[in-house]
Amino acid sequence: MKLTGIELRRVALPLVSPFRTSFGVERDRDVLLVRAVTGDAEGWGECVAAAEPRYSSEYADGAADVLRRFLVPAVAAAGDLDPDAARQAMAFVKGHRMAKAALELAVLDAWLRAAGRSLAAHLGATRDRVPAGVSVGIHDSVPELLDAVAGYLDQGYLRIKLKIEPGWDLEPVAAVRERFGADLPLQVDANAAYTLADAGHLAGLDQFGLLLIEQPLAEDDLAGHAELARRLATPVCLDESITSARSAVDAVAMGACRIVNVKAGRVGGYLEARRLHDACRPLGVPLWCGGMLETGLGRAANVALAALPGFTLPGDTSASDRYYRQDLTAPFVLEDGHLAVPRGPGIGVEPLGDVLEELTTSVAWIPA
Ligand code: NPQ
Ligand code: MG
């Protein structure tokens, strides 16, 4: 496959409501898209980096810069292109996993479209639909949170994840349990807002029968997570700390987590996410697919990944309208609490041309 060029496109999507986490409030999703044009087909990738480096060190302008200056020229110079050649061509760049993942996905999508094969089939999906969970932001009051959760349950979401931070943890969790009962699949995500000194306080969550607590401590604090895990009955799950298949296996081996949130962007691509899956599955580590407020393009790829057999917990793979009144693609909708896995070639979805043009804030074409 011969690369003609790469388009880097920035798109701004208004969120249906502000999404607050322990690291900040989002009102619009400023997203970087990558379009790979080849002689055979075109492909799309979505970069999960946010506009500001609050969730991760990567951010959208930084990703666009490393793509334009280093990653795209290296992939363009690789000659006969396939996804593995693209990965090898990008390997000399340290880090920048979200940028690499976006370009890898664009190349992978083009390559699979040329072959008439779906991403789900290529990754090894074993299901045609996946159960949907929803991530619920920090609210101004407990009654407002309960209204939001009630609305999501009415829509059919099969598990609820509450964002927590110091000052918004035991009380909202207790209130959700009280209102919706002990059988509701419920988990929490701290986005690294606590320290090991909070272990006693976090043990107060044990009475609520949570599925897991996600990333309570700092990204680089695996030893702290292992110590915290010894002091909690609630299983610890890692998100930000997991940057590769190897780091996932190591985190499990040292007792830093029992469950892994898989985000392809965070580990450097869908192919590394599959390697993570293949390494963790024999260890019996439950996996679930995280979310980064993707548009329908990234969401399609996440749903394909979530259909692999090791993804045994519902993911943050929500319907389009959880985040966007108007998605870039035909909307993903909940059917009986599930999302259908796209079956078409590549990621199986395309942007809606008029919507894409309307929401685009800048475009750059990089010839190969
Ligand atoms: C998480 N996602 O699991 C992330 C955090 C997150 C669905 O909870 C812009 C870009 C805003 C990335 C907000 C969910 C974001 C973002 C939250 C990621 O930790
Ligand atoms: Mg998380």
Side-chain angles (χ1 to χ4, degrees):
M1 191 169 77
K2 179 84 183 77
L3 190 68
T4 308
I6 294 283
E7 179 187 271
L8 301 181
R9 182 182 286 260
R10 289 290 278 276
V11 178
L13 287 85
L15 293 171
V16 293
S17 55
F19 184 45
R20 184 170 155 210
T21 66
S22 64
F23 59 82
V25 187
E26 302 286 331
R27 292 189 170 77
D28 301 275
R29 185 69 169 103
D30 174 4
V31 57
L32 168 65
L33 301 179
V34 178
R35 182 168 66 102
V37 180
T38 77
D40 305 295
E42 293 187 11
W44 287 95
E46 175 169 343
C47 183
V48 300
E52 298 181 2
R54 296 175 181 273
Y55 163 85
S56 61
S57 62
E58 285 191 82
Y59 63 104
D61 284 346
D65 186 75
V66 77
L67 279 159
R68 181 180 59 80
R69 292 175 57 198
F70 301 105
L71 298 174
V72 171
V75 167
D80 189 26
L81 201 57
D82 63 48
D84 198 57
R87 182 188 59 78
Q88 287 179 45
M90 294 190 285
F92 76 98
V93 172
K94 302 298 184 196
H96 296 283
R97 293 179 181 85
M98 294 174 179
K100 289 176 179 173
L103 180 52
E104 181 199 78
L105 181 58
V107 170
L108 182 57
D109 185 36
W111 186 73
L112 289 168
R113 283 181 201 264
R117 184 173 162 80
S118 73
L119 178 63
H122 183 67
L123 293 176
T126 53
R127 287 171 290 177
D128 58 12
R129 63 176 204 160
V130 298
V134 61
S135 177
V136 186
I138 294 167
H139 281 65
D140 290 336
S141 70
V142 166
E144 287 168 80
L145 173 71
L146 294 176
D147 284 349
V149 172
Y152 292 130
L153 293 175
D154 282 346
Q155 292 169 42
Y157 285 103
L158 296 171
R159 82 69 176 122
I160 298 291
K161 165 167 130 179
L162 301 181
K163 290 295 196 175
I164 61 168
E165 67 181 359
W168 181 265
D169 43 32
L170 303 183
E171 191 191 351
V173 171
V176 168
R177 267 285 178 251
E178 161 89 5
R179 164 91 177 264
F180 301 102
D183 292 339
L184 171 69
L186 182 64
Q187 62 194 55
V188 295
D189 185 359
N191 287 113
Y194 295 88
T195 71
L196 199 49
D198 299 309
H201 178 73
L202 291 172
L205 290 169
D206 284 343
Q207 62 188 303
F208 300 116
L210 300 177
L211 289 167
L212 58 90
I213 178 172
E214 180 178 346
Q215 198 70 42
L217 310 180
E219 182 177 327
D220 62 355
D221 193 6
L222 286 186
H225 280 102
E227 176 59 27
L228 180 65
R230 285 190 284 273
R231 299 202 217 164
L232 299 183
T234 307
V236 172
C237 170
L238 290 175
D239 172 359
E240 286 90 327
S241 297
I242 304 301
T243 56
S244 64
R246 180 194 285 146
S247 76
V249 169
D250 288 352
V252 170
M254 64 188 283
C257 67
R258 281 199 261 159
I259 301 172
V260 175
N261 167 333
V262 185
K263 291 177 179 168
R266 202 193 55 229
V267 301
Y270 285 86
L271 301 178
E272 181 69 9
R274 179 174 59 184
R275 284 189 281 276
L276 188 160
H277 168 272
D278 294 350
C280 285
R281 200 169 167 228
L283 304 177
V285 177
L287 304 177
W288 56 280
C289 184
M292 293 288 279
L293 284 57
E294 287 87 352
T295 75
L297 298 170
R299 193 164 301 279
N302 284 348
V303 170
L305 179 65
L308 269 63
F311 286 72
T312 55
L313 291 169
D316 282 344
T317 44
S318 303
S320 294
D321 70 1
R322 157 66 184 87
Y323 294 111
Y324 307 114
R325 209 172 311 283
Q326 174 66 64
D327 203 338
L328 289 183
T329 63
F332 280 83
V333 294
L334 279 191
E335 291 164 38
D336 197 20
H338 291 69
L339 295 183
V341 179
R343 335 167 42 108
I347 61 173
V349 301
E350 293 86 35
L352 302 166
D354 49 339
V355 175
L356 184 66
E357 291 309 325
E358 189 184 327
L359 299 179
T360 293
T361 54
S362 68
V363 191
W365 172 251
I366 308 168

